[in-house]
Amino acid sequence: MIQPHAAEPAITPELVAAHGLKPDEYERILKLIGRTPSFTELGIFSAMWNEHCSYKSSRLHLRGLPTKAPWVIQGPGENAGVIDIGDGQACVFKMESHNHPSFIEPYQGAATGVGGILRDVFTMGARPIACLNLLRFGSPDHPKTRHLVAGVVAGIGGYGNSFGVPTVGGSVNFHSRYNGNILVNAMAVGLADADKIFYAKATGVGRPIVYLGSKTGRDGIHGATMASASFEADAEEKRPTVQVGDPFSEKLLLEACLEIMGKGCVVAIQDMGAAGLTSSSVEMGAKGNLGVELDLDHVPCREAGMTAYEMMLSESQERMLMVLDPDKEAEAEAIFRKWGLDFAVIGKTTDTLRFVIKHKGEVKVDLPIKELGDEAPVYDRPWVETVKQAPIDPAAAAAPMSNAAALAKLVGSPDLCSKRWVWEQYDHLILGNTVQAPGGDAAVVRIGEGPKGLALTCDVTQRYCEADPFEGGKQAVAEAWRNLTAVGATPLALTDNLNFGNPERPHFMGQLVGCLKGIGAACRALDFPVVSGNVSLYNETEGRGILPTPSIGGVGLVKDVAKTATLAFRASGEAILLIGETTGWLGQSLYLRDICGREDGAPPPVDLAVERRNGEAVRALIATGRVSAVHDLSDGGLAAALAESCMALGVGATIEALPEGPAHAILFGEDQGRYILACAADEAAAILRDLAAAGVPARRIGTTGGAALTLPGEKSVDVVALRNAHETWLPDYMGAEIINS
């Protein structure tokens, strides 16, 4: 029987509430264990039953996502997803959030987000080869936005650059709905031998449980609980719950882990991420139907006098927990000592199915291990469907300026401007395998000596998800699929990060349900399964929720990196082809928002059969070398895509014929399933015939060349002037932060 310690606080309703547990959840705990929990046990339930770890509001709806395919080795449920990419190789990848910590302490919040996702990948036995990120900030004129942008970008670069993995892609947007709750979603990708993947499931009774890596401190205590709560006016007071990272220790941890994995020492392995030692030990035991016994007297601590509560809930970084082959224990310890890292046997596996924690000769925790996870509440929360908006009449939504002026304004706007200021702070070339760097539709990374490679992207159009969660969810997947297709890759699988508001509010819960239905529909139609992911709820501040933001990270396979396509127009005199149907859909478009000052209307519908047909045709043209440039159409529509292709290498274009309709709508509408291609002029007719035979709408709209982009009926826009507008907004904006700091 556990005896309460005199120094521990009494378990009161106020203490239970402070741990994020509702009264009915606490009653569930009392019924489960048949007594009042100890202070440390209360902390453990708080960690294991919060939203971040238990997915108690989303689990029912996540079950509708397709997670299987012949090439999927491991789907959701492990540290990261794994897919077979041929030749005995596997790609391991996942995306996770560090939203709340990054708002409170942007540098360390973002840095430790990168560190955590890298550990998720190499815990599986993979060597990380690339990182990406999706960042959402508040309005540029909000007083905290510059500070947050500067800190987050520096944190991502500081950790990733020091660790030695290239950051090759990402997405950065601004909107006032993120003023009090920014989003920092980090994605990592690694390579492993397909037959040498490591899992968290512990096996064997009496095997040593070993603590590896850095020492445990008091940083990050209750980090997972904080990530499962809304922000109120006291957000700054939560700074102690943000962890501090050390990328150099993480690099040592990577090398040591991969070395002992190669020596056959590891039975099971789990990264100490959210909820630290608690979640890692519980998950390893529960997955293997084993009990776990830990003696905290052996945990390496960097601070004196740490309690059992603090050690179990600390989220100090760069730590791992392993179950080792007893015969290999000495060999494993020698390897870790060689790398200058802590190695301590802190417990053993048992056959009791109990989670027992001892400290200073006392039993602090004695709980049923399976029920800690399996008996966590699962809620079917009330939800309401988002009211659909009417489509916008394109003829009634013209701006009081020329289309050329609107284009110049759009390419220099916060969302469409160049993010070079961001990605030049990241080392995107380290390891020497980056074939296509940030700035295109998708990054391309060579695998080893090639010719094979991976295409990588992450994105979401949150304004579509706000207006119509189902269509927005579909579009988010289709956009990632299209980005991979545009460089010539075959899309294989995705990871997601579902960022939403408070699920206890039916409107926000309805957004989550709707987006998941749309994501599932698109994944099934495009053979693009979900193999890993993360759910981040309660993203709201003082009752104001973020835009629904289901980030999609896509991975595709490239057979030969020398045959990939880029968005850049490369030569004069080539034909420009427009692929896909153009109706001039302006609802929820950037043109409507940033030029007309309106955020309304239905978002563009996504026909998934058309999306697949058009994309497969484009991919075939890239594979056969018949096109010199490919760019998918998304934010800003046809005009923005043409400008981006012109600005890439300074080659202009003359647009000679547009589809029928109001010119502003045809140029800036955001109809889906579309691409622009450049090809040799004498090849254009044959390509158009082949596309017509495949049922793909396509037309020739212009010719490359010159130093300007000329739109029908408009004054030519100098490409250099466009590029200046495109490249200067973000440096100028951030320069004010540097000057005033």
Side-chain angles (χ1 to χ4, degrees):
M1 182 71 178
I2 295 177
Q3 298 297 323
H5 196 278
E8 293 182 347
I11 307 301
T12 64
E14 292 76 18
L15 188 66
V16 170
H19 280 73
L21 293 164
K22 307 257 191 265
D24 60 317
E25 293 174 340
Y26 182 64
E27 289 299 317
R28 190 185 188 108
I29 291 169
L30 295 179
K31 184 177 179 181
L32 177 65
I33 66 176
R35 57 176 170 80
T36 300
S38 70
F39 180 53
T40 304
E41 287 175 333
L42 181 69
I44 285 172
F45 274 109
S46 169
M48 293 301 296
W49 285 18
N50 64 49
E51 196 75 57
H52 192 76
C53 292
S54 72
Y55 290 178
K56 57 190 176 185
S57 297
S58 57
R59 196 184 305 176
L60 282 175
H61 304 285
L62 292 170
R63 293 170 184 166
L65 295 177
T67 60
K68 299 183 184 301
W71 52 90
V72 174
I73 296 173
Q74 175 63 53
E78 275 287 343
N79 287 292
V82 187
I83 57 174
D84 191 328
I85 56 172
D87 304 312
Q89 295 173 309
C91 176
V92 180
F93 63 102
K94 190 182 182 184
M95 183 188 291
E96 275 209 343
S97 61
H98 234 219
N99 303 334
H100 285 33
S102 298
F103 180 79
I104 295 169
E105 210 301 293
Y107 184 94
Q108 291 296 347
T112 51
V114 174
I117 199 64
L118 286 167
R119 285 195 303 281
D120 281 340
V121 165
F122 70 76
T123 297
M124 304 291 291
R127 181 173 290 279
I129 63 166
C131 284
L132 301 91
N133 54 73
L134 182 135
L135 311 177
R136 295 293 182 264
F137 297 104
S139 174
D141 59 9
H142 188 272
K144 286 198 71 170
T145 299
R146 283 191 188 91
H147 164 71
L148 292 168
V149 173
V152 165
V153 172
I156 291 170
Y159 204 102
N161 297 354
S162 300
F163 179 83
V165 63
T167 300
V168 297
S171 169
V172 182
N173 281 177
F174 299 83
H175 195 280
S176 61
R177 290 276 291 280
Y178 302 108
N179 280 352
N181 199 128
I182 65 173
L183 301 185
V184 176
N185 293 177
M187 177 177 169
V189 182
L191 290 175
D193 292 338
D195 61 349
K196 294 176 183 173
I197 305 299
F198 289 82
Y199 300 96
K201 177 181 176 181
T203 60
V205 174
R207 285 179 163 164
I209 297 175
V210 182
Y211 174 113
L212 307 159
S214 298
K215 289 179 169 59
T216 294
R218 290 188 171 96
D219 51 326
I221 294 172
H222 282 309
T225 303
M226 177 192 68
S228 304
S230 302
F231 275 158
E232 301 305 330
D234 62 350
E236 292 293 340
E237 297 175 14
K238 297 183 178 181
R239 189 177 299 272
T241 60
V242 179
Q243 312 94 319
V244 177
D246 180 354
F248 302 105
S249 292
E250 178 124 331
K251 174 64 172 174
L252 298 175
L253 185 62
L254 162 72
E255 299 300 342
C257 286
L258 293 183
E259 187 171 344
I260 67 168
M261 288 170 171
K263 298 288 187 181
C265 304
V266 179
V267 173
I269 181 170
Q270 181 73 33
D271 145 56
M272 287 195 227
L277 186 54
T278 290
S279 64
S280 55
S281 51
V282 169
E283 287 176 20
M284 286 203 306
K287 286 180 178 179
N289 290 312
L290 294 171
V292 165
E293 184 176 304
L294 302 180
D295 186 343
L296 301 186
D297 292 349
H298 302 296
V299 171
C301 294
R302 68 168 182 259
E303 300 183 45
M306 288 190 70
T307 65
Y309 180 96
E310 291 170 330
M311 282 187 267
M312 292 307 297
L313 297 181
S314 168
E315 293 184 8
S316 294
Q317 296 291 286
E318 293 87 40
R319 301 180 301 159
M320 292 281 192
L321 201 66
M322 292 188 186
V323 175
L324 292 182
D325 179 345
D327 297 334
K328 299 272 193 175
E329 183 181 322
E331 184 177 8
E333 180 172 4
I335 291 170
F336 265 77
R337 299 295 183 200
K338 178 188 73 174
W339 287 101
L341 296 167
D342 278 298
F343 178 103
V345 177
I346 64 168
K348 62 183 179 180
T349 57
T350 70
D351 60 1
T352 64
L353 287 177
R354 304 291 294 181
F355 186 48
V356 178
I357 308 298
K358 298 177 181 178
H359 187 223
K360 295 184 177 178
E362 294 182 8
V363 175
K364 295 292 187 179
V365 173
D366 188 351
L367 298 171
I369 197 166
K370 294 282 285 185
E371 288 78 356
L372 261 177
D374 294 349
E375 292 300 317
V378 176
Y379 295 121
D380 186 1
R381 295 197 184 277
W383 59 275
V384 295
E385 190 169 344
T386 300
V387 176
K388 295 186 185 301
Q389 299 185 43
I392 295 291
D393 176 5
M401 66 175 72
S402 70
N403 291 325
L407 176 59
K409 183 176 180 179
L410 271 180
V411 298
S413 65
D415 279 5
L416 267 190
C417 74
S418 168
K419 303 307 185 297
R420 185 184 303 275
W421 182 91
V422 172
W423 56 259
E424 282 193 341
Q425 296 185 55
Y426 308 149
D427 190 335
H428 54 276
L429 297 175
I430 195 169
L431 301 181
N433 286 319
T434 304
V435 177
Q436 288 199 36
D441 288 317
V444 178
V445 178
R446 181 188 299 106
I447 297 173
E449 300 300 317
K452 200 164 63 173
L454 294 173
L456 311 169
T457 186
C458 62
D459 210 345
V460 62
T461 310
Q462 57 276 348
R463 61 185 185 277
Y464 295 173
C465 297
E466 170 88 347
D468 186 333
F470 179 71
E471 286 297 331
K474 284 166 57 181
Q475 194 275 340
V477 174
E479 172 74 9
W481 191 88
R482 200 183 312 135
N483 285 340
L484 300 173
T485 293
V487 298
T490 301
L492 291 181
L494 64 86
T495 182
D496 59 31
N497 203 128
L498 308 173
N499 306 277
F500 289 84
N502 187 341
E504 297 171 50
R505 302 179 192 271
H507 172 66
F508 290 131
M509 190 65 207
Q511 292 178 338
L512 172 62
V513 172
C515 282
L516 280 171
K517 289 181 178 179
I519 290 168
C523 289
R524 282 185 286 273
L526 299 173
D527 282 338
F528 202 29
V530 181
V531 298
S532 61
N534 173 247
V535 178
S536 175
L537 306 182
Y538 294 94
N539 287 291
E540 67 172 35
T541 299
E542 298 184 61
R544 189 177 193 226
I546 63 165
L547 294 173
T549 313
S551 309
I552 302 296
V555 174
L557 184 64
V558 175
K559 290 183 178 179
D560 186 347
V561 295
K563 296 180 180 178
T564 56
T566 71
L567 58 80
F569 291 152
R570 297 185 171 277
S572 297
E574 294 195 322
I576 302 171
L577 309 183
L578 172 61
I579 309 298
E581 200 68 51
T582 297
T583 68
W585 194 285
L586 285 178
Q588 299 299 327
S589 65
L590 276 189
Y591 176 85
L592 197 69
R593 190 189 76 185
D594 292 354
I595 304 300
C596 302
R598 297 171 53 180
E599 294 187 59
D600 62 336
V606 180
D607 186 322
L608 294 167
V610 168
E611 190 76 59
R612 181 164 185 158
R613 182 192 64 204
N614 292 1
E616 288 177 347
V618 168
R619 204 179 305 127
L621 290 172
I622 296 171
T624 53
R626 299 176 72 188
V627 291
S628 62
V630 178
H631 191 11
D632 86 300
L633 272 59
S634 54
D635 287 349
L638 173 61
L642 289 166
E644 288 163 351
S645 291
C646 289
M647 290 187 292
L649 292 177
V651 177
T654 299
I655 305 307
E656 298 140 359
L658 290 174
E660 292 184 9
H664 68 282
I666 297 301
L667 286 169
F668 298 107
E670 295 178 5
D671 301 89
Q672 297 296 294
R674 298 186 301 158
Y675 306 78
I676 53 171
L677 316 177
C679 65
D682 57 5
E683 267 282 294
I687 290 174
L688 289 172
R689 283 195 300 272
D690 291 345
L691 290 171
V696 175
R699 64 175 68 210
R700 180 171 178 166
I701 61 169
T703 305
T704 63
L709 172 58
T710 303
L711 304 173
E714 299 283 334
K715 183 179 178 181
S716 296
V717 185
D718 183 70
V719 172
V720 172
L722 279 175
R723 184 187 284 165
N724 286 340
H726 186 59
E727 294 285 351
T728 56
W729 185 86
L730 191 52
D732 286 352
Y733 175 73
M734 295 308 299
E737 166 72 7
I738 296 167
I739 292 168
N740 295 331
S741 61

